[in-house]
Amino acid sequence: MTLTSSALSAETARFSHTIPAGEPYLFEVKAGQTVRLLDLEGNQAIDTLFYSASNPRERYDPQRTLRRQKNAYLSTGSVLYSNLGQPLLTIVADTCGRHDTLGGACAQESNTVRYAHDKRHSCRDNFLCACLHDGRLNKRDIGANINFFMNVPVTPEGGLTFEDGISAPGKYVELKAHQDVVVLISNCPQLNNPCNGWNPTPAQVLVWD
């Protein structure tokens, strides 16, 4: 874990938005701007995808990102690379210390298989809904995402487990954009495992120049 606080104040942010529990949100961050993802009440997974605003076919690439940093988890100093090998954003502050890149987004199908619940409200459905309303992205653009604040340990056998979160109220992660970036978020609605502490809660995004 690499815990690093920010010198930025919420009062000076040029933009702020609270995402209701379980809902999607899509917005843009310009090159040079800093975006903060804030876990307002603790243990809330924020499933996130990043795209180049000038060419949405260029998007966050987990394999390239993890291979270059030689670590399965993200924290301060991690550079998020695109599928074209270009840096999209760098994590510049992090008070949680570890963010999942392996667990993926919950979906109606995975909920049914894992929990025998046929629930349509899922992160994948949130992503698709936001894409439909925005118009620049579509189903084929939904790839492997980052789960900010989510705790998915890798077992000694190489498997994954969903554990209680290591975040807490007021924890945040900040990323500085290297280019204009589209940010697609699902403020995870999952009720069936401890990634949200069994209780989805609101999250906040703030942006500074």
XYZ file of all heavy atoms in Angstrom, residues 92-182:
695
model
N -2.145 10.173 -8.382
C -1.231 11.106 -7.723
C -1.485 11.216 -6.224
O -0.653 11.779 -5.492
C -1.312 12.498 -8.381
C -0.777 12.441 -9.811
C -2.743 13.044 -8.378
N -2.612 10.722 -5.752
C -2.894 10.704 -4.312
C -3.845 9.545 -4.036
O -4.691 9.217 -4.868
C -3.506 12.020 -3.837
N -3.691 8.936 -2.853
C -4.502 7.757 -2.538
C -4.482 7.534 -1.034
O -3.438 7.254 -0.457
C -3.934 6.539 -3.265
C -4.721 5.264 -3.009
O -5.841 5.351 -2.474
O -4.210 4.178 -3.348
N -5.640 7.673 -0.393
C -5.708 7.455 1.055
C -6.291 6.095 1.413
O -6.469 5.794 2.588
C -6.530 8.566 1.746
O -7.862 8.563 1.222
C -5.892 9.936 1.516
N -6.588 5.291 0.398
C -7.066 3.925 0.633
C -5.903 2.940 0.545
O -5.715 2.100 1.422
C -8.158 3.562 -0.363
S -8.797 1.882 -0.178
N -5.133 3.022 -0.541
C -3.891 2.259 -0.625
C -3.891 1.086 -1.568
O -2.828 0.588 -1.934
N -5.066 0.614 -2.008
C -5.101 -0.518 -2.933
C -6.438 -0.560 -3.649
O -7.485 -0.405 -3.029
C -4.875 -1.833 -2.192
C -4.608 -2.997 -3.138
C -4.222 -4.252 -2.381
N -5.374 -4.913 -1.799
C -5.295 -6.067 -1.121
N -4.123 -6.625 -0.916
N -6.388 -6.622 -0.635
N -6.368 -0.776 -4.977
C -7.575 -0.787 -5.793
C -7.524 -1.978 -6.739
O -6.490 -2.266 -7.341
C -7.716 0.529 -6.546
C -7.657 1.722 -5.641
N -8.762 2.178 -4.953
C -6.610 2.506 -5.265
C -8.408 3.221 -4.219
N -7.104 3.432 -4.388
N -8.649 -2.652 -6.891
C -8.709 -3.911 -7.628
C -8.736 -3.705 -9.141
O -9.402 -2.809 -9.646
C -9.959 -4.686 -7.209
C -10.225 -5.875 -8.109
O -9.356 -6.769 -8.155
O -11.269 -5.891 -8.777
N -8.015 -4.569 -9.861
C -8.013 -4.560 -11.323
C -8.432 -5.909 -11.895
O -8.398 -6.095 -13.105
C -6.601 -4.238 -11.848
O -5.691 -5.237 -11.360
C -6.125 -2.873 -11.381
N -8.811 -6.864 -11.038
C -9.031 -8.242 -11.477
C -10.477 -8.719 -11.344
O -10.900 -9.619 -12.067
C -8.119 -9.190 -10.680
C -6.620 -8.885 -10.729
C -5.871 -9.793 -9.757
C -6.083 -9.044 -12.137
N -11.228 -8.153 -10.419
C -12.551 -8.684 -10.095
C -13.618 -8.426 -11.140
O -14.629 -9.116 -11.186
N -13.412 -7.416 -11.990
C -14.376 -7.121 -13.030
C -15.649 -6.483 -12.507
O -15.767 -6.149 -11.329
N -16.610 -6.306 -13.408
C -17.875 -5.668 -13.070
C -18.962 -6.720 -12.873
O -19.033 -7.699 -13.612
C -18.287 -4.707 -14.186
N -19.826 -6.506 -11.880
C -20.943 -7.424 -11.695
C -21.919 -7.278 -12.863
O -22.021 -6.217 -13.487
C -21.642 -7.176 -10.360
S -22.377 -5.531 -10.149
N -22.612 -8.372 -13.170
C -23.564 -8.392 -14.273
C -24.747 -9.258 -13.873
O -24.671 -10.043 -12.929
C -22.912 -8.948 -15.537
N -25.849 -9.104 -14.594
C -27.025 -9.931 -14.322
C -26.656 -11.412 -14.358
O -27.070 -12.198 -13.506
C -28.112 -9.641 -15.355
C -29.349 -10.525 -15.204
C -30.270 -10.424 -16.404
O -30.082 -9.578 -17.269
N -31.266 -11.285 -16.449
N -25.853 -11.796 -15.363
C -25.499 -13.199 -15.526
C -24.648 -13.715 -14.375
O -24.890 -14.805 -13.838
C -24.765 -13.399 -16.856
C -25.597 -13.090 -18.093
C -25.671 -11.608 -18.428
O -25.042 -10.798 -17.715
O -26.363 -11.259 -19.398
N -23.630 -12.938 -13.973
C -22.765 -13.393 -12.884
C -23.516 -13.403 -11.554
O -23.285 -14.270 -10.702
C -21.509 -12.517 -12.787
O -21.832 -11.165 -12.520
N -24.425 -12.458 -11.362
C -25.244 -12.477 -10.149
C -26.085 -13.744 -10.075
O -26.240 -14.361 -9.016
C -26.166 -11.258 -10.105
C -25.456 -9.988 -9.704
O -24.378 -10.022 -9.120
N -26.047 -8.854 -10.026
N -26.637 -14.148 -11.229
C -27.469 -15.354 -11.257
C -26.646 -16.596 -10.952
O -27.064 -17.469 -10.182
C -28.144 -15.493 -12.638
O -28.947 -14.338 -12.878
C -29.025 -16.739 -12.690
N -25.441 -16.687 -11.546
C -24.578 -17.853 -11.330
C -24.082 -17.915 -9.893
O -24.115 -18.979 -9.248
C -23.394 -17.828 -12.311
C -22.364 -18.889 -11.943
C -23.878 -18.036 -13.742
N -23.636 -16.780 -9.364
C -23.025 -16.783 -8.031
C -24.051 -16.831 -6.907
O -23.838 -17.476 -5.877
C -22.151 -15.527 -7.852
C -20.888 -15.520 -8.682
C -20.232 -14.158 -8.596
N -18.955 -14.120 -9.321
C -18.358 -13.008 -9.723
N -18.914 -11.833 -9.476
N -17.209 -13.048 -10.372
N -25.160 -16.112 -7.095
C -26.063 -15.894 -5.967
C -27.492 -16.365 -6.220
O -28.348 -16.193 -5.356
C -26.086 -14.396 -5.619
C -24.713 -13.789 -5.536
C -24.287 -12.846 -6.460
C -23.814 -14.184 -4.542
C -23.025 -12.291 -6.398
C -22.543 -13.638 -4.469
C -22.151 -12.695 -5.405
O -20.891 -12.158 -5.351
N -27.771 -16.914 -7.417
C -29.115 -17.366 -7.782
C -30.121 -16.228 -7.727
O -31.286 -16.419 -7.422
C -29.564 -18.515 -6.878
N -29.636 -14.998 -8.008
C -30.510 -13.835 -8.051
C -30.496 -13.275 -9.471
O -29.452 -12.900 -9.978
C -30.046 -12.749 -7.077
C -30.125 -13.158 -5.640
N -31.270 -13.672 -5.084
C -29.208 -13.112 -4.654
C -31.047 -13.930 -3.801
N -29.803 -13.615 -3.522
N -31.625 -13.198 -10.086
C -31.731 -12.664 -11.435
C -31.956 -11.152 -11.343
O -33.058 -10.648 -11.523
C -32.882 -13.347 -12.174
C -32.960 -12.906 -13.626
O -31.965 -12.376 -14.137
O -34.033 -13.100 -14.232
N -30.883 -10.439 -11.041
C -31.000 -8.993 -10.845
C -30.434 -8.259 -12.065
O -29.302 -8.472 -12.457
C -30.229 -8.560 -9.584
C -30.838 -9.069 -8.292
C -30.038 -8.568 -7.100
C -30.626 -9.057 -5.786
N -31.908 -8.435 -5.490
N -31.236 -7.385 -12.650
C -30.772 -6.632 -13.812
C -29.932 -5.426 -13.409
O -29.159 -4.919 -14.214
C -31.971 -6.174 -14.655
C -32.670 -7.324 -15.344
C -33.709 -6.831 -16.336
N -34.286 -7.959 -17.041
C -33.760 -8.518 -18.129
N -32.620 -8.053 -18.605
N -34.345 -9.532 -18.721
N -30.108 -4.937 -12.199
C -29.357 -3.766 -11.774
C -27.944 -4.200 -11.406
O -27.707 -4.808 -10.367
C -30.040 -3.102 -10.588
C -29.557 -1.713 -10.342
N -29.863 -1.019 -9.211
C -28.785 -0.878 -11.081
C -29.311 0.182 -9.247
N -28.648 0.284 -10.370
N -27.001 -3.910 -12.285
C -25.614 -4.341 -12.096
C -24.694 -3.293 -12.700
O -25.135 -2.374 -13.401
C -25.372 -5.690 -12.796
O -25.463 -5.521 -14.206
N -23.399 -3.436 -12.443
C -22.441 -2.482 -12.997
C -22.415 -2.533 -14.520
O -22.325 -1.495 -15.184
C -21.043 -2.753 -12.441
S -20.842 -2.191 -10.727
N -22.473 -3.733 -15.081
C -22.475 -3.816 -16.544
C -23.699 -3.113 -17.128
O -23.601 -2.393 -18.116
C -22.418 -5.270 -16.997
C -22.370 -5.400 -18.514
C -22.004 -6.784 -18.985
N -22.021 -6.863 -20.437
C -21.060 -6.439 -21.242
N -19.970 -5.900 -20.728
N -21.165 -6.551 -22.558
N -24.856 -3.301 -16.521
C -26.049 -2.611 -16.996
C -25.923 -1.099 -16.819
O -26.385 -0.321 -17.657
C -27.285 -3.126 -16.275
C -27.611 -4.562 -16.651
O -27.637 -4.863 -17.855
O -27.814 -5.385 -15.751
N -25.307 -0.671 -15.725
C -25.057 0.760 -15.533
C -24.173 1.318 -16.640
O -24.438 2.398 -17.186
C -24.381 0.994 -14.178
C -25.364 1.107 -13.036
O -26.565 1.255 -13.246
N -24.863 1.055 -11.814
N -23.082 0.607 -16.947
C -22.188 1.047 -18.027
C -22.965 1.200 -19.335
O -22.844 2.200 -20.045
C -21.051 0.047 -18.219
C -19.987 0.059 -17.159
C -19.277 -1.109 -16.857
C -19.678 1.213 -16.464
C -18.281 -1.102 -15.898
C -18.687 1.227 -15.490
C -17.983 0.061 -15.210
N -23.761 0.182 -19.671
C -24.501 0.198 -20.929
C -25.529 1.330 -20.967
O -25.712 1.978 -22.002
C -25.189 -1.149 -21.141
C -24.256 -2.338 -21.386
C -25.054 -3.641 -21.401
C -23.488 -2.170 -22.688
N -26.169 1.575 -19.849
C -27.155 2.646 -19.775
C -26.500 4.003 -20.005
O -27.010 4.833 -20.778
C -27.855 2.614 -18.417
S -29.117 3.885 -18.203
N -25.361 4.253 -19.359
C -24.659 5.524 -19.529
C -24.168 5.695 -20.964
O -24.238 6.791 -21.527
C -23.486 5.605 -18.554
N -23.690 4.612 -21.575
C -23.228 4.665 -22.962
C -24.375 5.001 -23.904
O -24.225 5.794 -24.840
C -22.607 3.331 -23.374
S -21.021 2.980 -22.598
N -25.534 4.405 -23.661
C -26.695 4.638 -24.504
C -27.093 6.109 -24.492
O -27.390 6.704 -25.531
C -27.863 3.772 -24.030
C -29.182 3.931 -24.783
C -29.025 3.464 -26.227
C -30.291 3.138 -24.091
N -27.069 6.728 -23.322
C -27.466 8.126 -23.200
C -26.414 9.069 -23.772
O -26.747 10.136 -24.293
C -27.747 8.468 -21.734
C -29.024 7.904 -21.219
N -30.256 8.334 -21.641
C -29.265 6.908 -20.331
C -31.207 7.655 -21.024
N -30.630 6.779 -20.224
N -25.133 8.684 -23.698
C -24.062 9.560 -24.177
C -23.915 9.500 -25.692
O -23.701 10.516 -26.346
C -22.739 9.166 -23.502
C -21.593 10.059 -23.942
O -21.567 11.235 -23.528
O -20.727 9.578 -24.706
N -23.974 8.300 -26.266
C -23.928 8.157 -27.711
C -22.563 7.902 -28.318
O -22.468 7.439 -29.462
N -21.482 8.177 -27.594
C -20.142 7.961 -28.153
C -19.640 6.535 -27.954
O -18.757 6.068 -28.671
C -19.144 8.935 -27.518
C -19.270 10.360 -27.965
C -18.370 11.275 -27.165
N -18.808 11.374 -25.777
C -18.207 12.128 -24.856
N -17.122 12.812 -25.189
N -18.670 12.179 -23.624
N -20.167 5.850 -26.961
C -19.724 4.506 -26.614
C -20.873 3.529 -26.797
O -22.040 3.921 -26.750
C -19.239 4.461 -25.157
C -18.121 5.437 -24.773
C -17.909 5.433 -23.268
C -16.835 5.091 -25.490
N -20.543 2.268 -26.996
C -21.586 1.252 -27.110
C -21.129 -0.035 -26.434
O -20.081 -0.061 -25.769
C -21.967 1.013 -28.576
C -20.768 0.619 -29.422
O -19.983 -0.244 -29.038
N -20.638 1.234 -30.597
N -21.874 -1.100 -26.603
C -21.637 -2.347 -25.885
C -20.224 -2.886 -26.098
O -19.604 -3.403 -25.169
C -22.670 -3.382 -26.330
C -22.619 -4.694 -25.566
C -23.760 -5.610 -26.001
C -23.754 -6.908 -25.214
N -24.882 -7.792 -25.630
N -19.688 -2.755 -27.289
C -18.366 -3.299 -27.572
C -17.248 -2.544 -26.850
O -16.121 -3.023 -26.767
C -18.093 -3.289 -29.071
C -17.873 -1.904 -29.662
C -17.510 -1.993 -31.118
N -17.223 -0.677 -31.679
C -16.776 -0.476 -32.908
N -16.582 -1.500 -33.710
N -16.543 0.748 -33.342
N -17.571 -1.355 -26.333
C -16.555 -0.557 -25.641
C -16.443 -0.899 -24.158
O -15.588 -0.348 -23.456
C -16.877 0.933 -25.786
C -16.816 1.386 -27.231
O -15.816 1.084 -27.894
O -17.783 2.027 -27.696
N -17.276 -1.777 -23.647
C -17.236 -2.142 -22.228
C -16.216 -3.263 -22.036
O -16.461 -4.416 -22.390
C -18.618 -2.587 -21.721
C -19.666 -1.527 -22.044
C -18.571 -2.863 -20.224
C -19.369 -0.166 -21.478
N -15.060 -2.915 -21.500
C -14.003 -3.894 -21.272
C -13.751 -4.105 -19.790
O -14.603 -3.816 -18.942
N -12.566 -4.604 -19.476
C -12.179 -4.841 -18.085
C -11.977 -3.502 -17.376
O -11.285 -2.620 -17.887
C -10.907 -5.673 -18.031
N -12.564 -3.366 -16.213
C -12.576 -2.092 -15.499
C -11.705 -2.131 -14.243
O -11.240 -3.189 -13.813
C -14.006 -1.737 -15.105
C -14.625 -2.760 -14.184
O -15.010 -3.840 -14.637
N -14.708 -2.456 -12.895
N -11.532 -0.967 -13.662
C -10.901 -0.824 -12.346
C -12.012 -0.745 -11.299
O -13.027 -0.082 -11.511
C -10.041 0.448 -12.274
C -8.913 0.400 -13.304
C -9.460 0.629 -10.861
C -8.178 1.709 -13.452
N -11.829 -1.433 -10.181
C -12.751 -1.339 -9.049
C -12.068 -0.547 -7.939
O -11.370 -1.111 -7.090
C -13.129 -2.732 -8.551
C -13.925 -3.514 -9.574
O -14.916 -3.029 -10.096
N -13.481 -4.720 -9.869
N -12.237 0.773 -7.979
C -11.631 1.588 -6.941
C -12.278 1.275 -5.591
O -13.490 1.118 -5.485
C -11.776 3.074 -7.270
C -10.895 3.529 -8.403
C -11.422 3.795 -9.652
C -9.532 3.655 -8.217
C -10.613 4.209 -10.698
C -8.707 4.058 -9.248
C -9.247 4.335 -10.497
N -11.438 1.144 -4.564
C -11.818 0.856 -3.176
C -12.284 -0.578 -2.937
O -12.650 -0.918 -1.819
C -12.910 1.835 -2.682
C -12.575 3.272 -2.895
C -13.244 4.017 -3.853
C -11.576 3.879 -2.158
C -12.929 5.348 -4.075
C -11.244 5.213 -2.366
C -11.929 5.942 -3.326
N -12.235 -1.423 -3.937
C -12.712 -2.796 -3.771
C -11.567 -3.710 -3.377
O -10.448 -3.587 -3.896
C -13.360 -3.277 -5.074
C -14.038 -4.633 -4.984
S -15.050 -4.876 -6.467
C -15.285 -6.635 -6.424
N -11.828 -4.646 -2.476
C -10.816 -5.553 -1.943
C -11.031 -6.952 -2.520
O -11.977 -7.645 -2.144
C -10.906 -5.584 -0.409
C -9.792 -6.403 0.218
O -8.754 -6.645 -0.396
N -9.999 -6.816 1.447
N -10.155 -7.348 -3.458
C -10.232 -8.670 -4.084
C -8.856 -9.334 -3.970
O -8.038 -9.274 -4.893
C -10.664 -8.574 -5.564
C -10.822 -9.965 -6.167
C -11.970 -7.805 -5.692
N -8.570 -9.980 -2.836
C -7.258 -10.615 -2.657
C -7.068 -11.797 -3.608
O -8.026 -12.495 -3.967
C -7.290 -11.095 -1.202
C -8.392 -10.325 -0.555
C -9.400 -10.063 -1.632
N -5.830 -11.998 -4.016
C -5.452 -13.171 -4.800
C -5.020 -14.263 -3.825
O -4.154 -14.049 -2.976
C -4.300 -12.843 -5.772
C -3.896 -14.092 -6.564
C -4.708 -11.727 -6.718
N -5.625 -15.435 -3.912
C -5.316 -16.532 -3.005
C -3.988 -17.195 -3.386
O -3.505 -17.021 -4.512
C -6.415 -17.602 -3.032
O -6.397 -18.251 -4.316
C -7.781 -16.973 -2.796
N -3.365 -17.943 -2.474
C -2.110 -18.643 -2.805
C -2.248 -19.575 -4.005
O -1.274 -19.856 -4.703
C -1.794 -19.431 -1.523
C -2.455 -18.642 -0.434
C -3.712 -18.102 -1.054
N -3.471 -20.052 -4.253
C -3.717 -20.956 -5.391
C -3.958 -20.193 -6.690
O -4.141 -20.806 -7.753
C -4.934 -21.842 -5.104
C -4.764 -22.803 -3.923
C -4.867 -22.081 -2.582
O -5.562 -21.037 -2.509
O -4.222 -22.546 -1.609
N -3.967 -18.851 -6.615
C -4.167 -18.050 -7.813
C -5.604 -17.672 -8.076
O -5.911 -17.087 -9.117
N -6.510 -17.962 -7.140
C -7.898 -17.584 -7.292
C -8.162 -16.195 -6.740
O -7.271 -15.523 -6.205
N -9.422 -15.745 -6.843
C -9.824 -14.440 -6.345
C -10.938 -14.609 -5.320
O -11.789 -15.489 -5.455
C -10.334 -13.552 -7.483
C -9.377 -13.263 -8.634
C -10.085 -12.442 -9.706
C -8.143 -12.531 -8.143
N -10.941 -13.770 -4.302
C -12.013 -13.770 -3.316
C -12.504 -12.342 -3.112
O -11.720 -11.394 -3.183
C -11.554 -14.331 -1.961
O -10.486 -13.514 -1.443
C -11.069 -15.760 -2.094
N -13.798 -12.193 -2.881
C -14.376 -10.882 -2.591
C -14.448 -10.723 -1.079
O -15.159 -11.461 -0.406
C -15.773 -10.763 -3.211
C -15.779 -10.805 -4.703
C -16.036 -11.995 -5.377
C -15.519 -9.664 -5.449
C -16.045 -12.041 -6.760
C -15.510 -9.701 -6.830
C -15.770 -10.887 -7.489
N -13.695 -9.754 -0.554
C -13.607 -9.566 0.893
C -14.162 -8.201 1.281
O -14.407 -7.340 0.436
C -12.144 -9.682 1.348
C -11.494 -11.014 1.002
C -12.077 -12.184 1.786
O -12.759 -11.919 2.801
O -11.858 -13.323 1.380
N -14.340 -8.031 2.586
C -14.786 -6.752 3.116
C -13.799 -5.673 2.693
O -12.583 -5.883 2.682
C -14.882 -6.833 4.636
C -15.655 -5.671 5.227
O -16.401 -5.009 4.479
O -15.514 -5.409 6.427
N -14.313 -4.507 2.343
C -13.464 -3.435 1.843
C -12.472 -2.919 2.866
O -12.663 -3.047 4.075
N -11.402 -2.318 2.361
C -10.385 -1.722 3.233
C -10.510 -0.200 3.237
O -9.692 0.488 3.832
C -8.957 -2.131 2.803
C -8.709 -1.732 1.344
C -8.748 -3.621 2.999
C -7.281 -1.990 0.878
N -11.549 0.306 2.587
C -11.775 1.742 2.569
C -12.563 2.151 3.816
O -12.936 1.323 4.640
C -12.524 2.142 1.296
O -12.624 3.545 1.193
N -12.828 3.465 3.917
C -13.563 4.013 5.055
C -14.146 5.350 4.624
O -13.755 5.903 3.590
C -12.629 4.195 6.257
N -15.092 5.903 5.390
C -15.685 7.182 5.007
C -14.623 8.262 4.784
O -13.732 8.453 5.618
C -16.579 7.526 6.204
C -16.945 6.198 6.783
C -15.719 5.354 6.611
N -14.712 8.946 3.650
C -13.780 10.029 3.344
C -12.515 9.618 2.628
O -11.717 10.480 2.248
N -12.308 8.330 2.401
C -11.131 7.887 1.649
C -11.295 8.291 0.188
O -12.401 8.346 -0.346
C -10.951 6.376 1.744
C -10.701 5.859 3.156
C -9.319 6.220 3.644
C -9.021 5.549 4.989
N -7.668 5.880 5.491
N -10.168 8.562 -0.482
C -10.254 9.001 -1.871
C -9.026 8.567 -2.652
O -7.995 8.172 -2.097
C -10.401 10.525 -1.949
C -9.275 11.307 -1.296
C -8.065 11.534 -1.962
C -9.405 11.830 -0.008
C -7.042 12.254 -1.367
C -8.397 12.542 0.594
C -7.208 12.756 -0.088
O -6.188 13.455 0.516
N -9.180 8.633 -3.966
C -8.076 8.435 -4.886
C -8.139 9.571 -5.899
O -9.223 9.974 -6.325
C -8.144 7.051 -5.584
C -9.446 6.877 -6.340
C -6.963 6.853 -6.516
N -6.967 10.139 -6.242
C -6.903 11.220 -7.217
C -6.052 10.805 -8.406
O -5.003 10.166 -8.241
C -6.304 12.490 -6.599
C -7.253 13.214 -5.691
C -6.680 14.500 -5.131
O -5.522 14.868 -5.460
O -7.390 15.152 -4.343
N -6.503 11.188 -9.601
C -5.794 10.851 -10.827
C -5.627 12.113 -11.667
O -6.567 12.899 -11.821
C -6.563 9.806 -11.644
C -6.939 8.510 -10.924
C -8.384 8.566 -10.432
C -6.732 7.316 -11.828
N -4.422 12.285 -12.219
C -4.148 13.411 -13.117
C -4.174 12.920 -14.549
O -3.517 11.932 -14.890
C -2.805 14.059 -12.799
C -2.557 15.338 -13.596
C -1.392 16.135 -13.046
C -1.264 17.460 -13.792
N -0.190 18.305 -13.215
N -4.927 13.619 -15.402
C -5.105 13.189 -16.785
C -3.951 13.646 -17.664
O -3.535 14.811 -17.609
C -6.420 13.728 -17.331
N -3.454 12.726 -18.501
C -2.410 13.061 -19.468
C -2.996 13.512 -20.796
O -2.289 14.088 -21.625
C -1.508 11.850 -19.706
C -0.743 11.428 -18.505
N 0.366 12.099 -18.045
C -0.938 10.409 -17.629
C 0.842 11.509 -16.968
N 0.051 10.485 -16.683
N -4.263 13.222 -21.022
C -4.977 13.641 -22.224
C -6.441 13.807 -21.852
O -6.849 13.477 -20.736
C -4.812 12.613 -23.347
C -5.214 11.197 -22.985
C -5.059 10.227 -24.136
O -5.861 10.253 -25.078
N -4.040 9.391 -24.086
N -7.232 14.376 -22.760
C -8.664 14.491 -22.498
C -9.243 13.081 -22.388
O -9.059 12.253 -23.286
C -9.355 15.249 -23.619
C -8.926 16.709 -23.695
O -8.162 17.156 -22.816
O -9.352 17.393 -24.644
N -9.954 12.816 -21.297
C -10.396 11.459 -20.984
C -11.888 11.446 -20.663
O -12.397 12.321 -19.949
C -9.597 10.900 -19.781
C -10.149 9.559 -19.334
C -8.123 10.762 -20.132
N -12.588 10.448 -21.202
C -13.959 10.167 -20.802
C -13.916 9.181 -19.636
O -13.244 8.144 -19.720
C -14.774 9.564 -21.965
C -16.167 9.150 -21.488
C -14.871 10.549 -23.115
